[in-house]
Amino acid sequence: MDGARDISSRLAALRDRIAELARAAGRDPRDVRLIAVSKTHPAESVRDALDAGQRDFGESTVQEALPKIDALSGTGAQWHFIGHLQSNKAKFILPRFAWVHSLDSAKIAVRLSHVAHEWSTPLNALIEVNVTRDPAKHGVLPEALPGLLEQLRREDLPGIVLRGLMTIGPHQASEPEIRCCFAGLRQLRDENRARFGLPLFTELSMGMSGDYAYAIAEGATMVRLGTAIFGERSYARAAKAGAPG
Ligand SMILES: *Cc1c(COP(=O)(O)O)cnc(C)c1O
């Protein structure tokens, strides 16, 4: 486990680096939000990051996230659900998570909207797109995105605010391949935002510890960093703490 000093100095360095990359791309550094991905890391590590001024945190599974979020209630942490979401877990998302990055079906959207409406807490949702068409990944294929947006428009979804798109870059790929994936997501956002007239559909959640520099160059508004902040993940520790799945 990495100590408070490691976490705070890495966060400071990453904030500087992100700002530098944004400026190099002709962008306002305030338009890139850092999401600290705390999966497999204990609540104490999240507390260390909070003490260092970090507010946005990402978790991948409901089982692991719930006890952690509850242990940190009242700290001002804002939570993002970034893992694959099954519709039977939708009821656990509210009111703890403010954002879901992995919407990929109308069925889940209907469930989430229902629960969010009951809590009177609108949920910010990003649609996950499988830009690289990787069979091991979740998300909708690029050509299926307009169909899903059409379906979501037909449903009455008062609990959900569609905020943009999310993707995971290709694993072990060259710079051009990675940038092509991220540029593809940006293009999909621009086209569909215009086509469906969605003023708030502005976000691009893309970029992880290994590829966030390319993501910022291609327009990321949220980067999801785990290892770069908290160090290597230990799934064994997370399991012992009552986690994964
Ligand atoms: C784990 C995870 C991250 C963080 O990955 P790192 O490589 O540790 O930065 C980002 N996004 C998603 C969807 C993840 O599951």
Side-chain angles (χ1 to χ4, degrees), residues 88-106:
N88 62 352
K89 297 280 167 60
K91 59 178 178 289
F92 299 112
I93 294 293
L94 275 298
R96 296 176 179 90
F97 287 92
W99 291 78
V100 163
H101 291 226
S102 47
L103 194 62
D104 64 0
S105 81

Side-chain angles (χ1 to χ4, degrees), residues 90-96 113-122:
K91 59 178 178 289
F92 299 112
I93 294 293
L94 275 298
R96 296 176 179 90
S113 175
H114 184 74
V115 186
H117 195 58
E118 279 184 344
W119 282 99
S120 307
T121 310

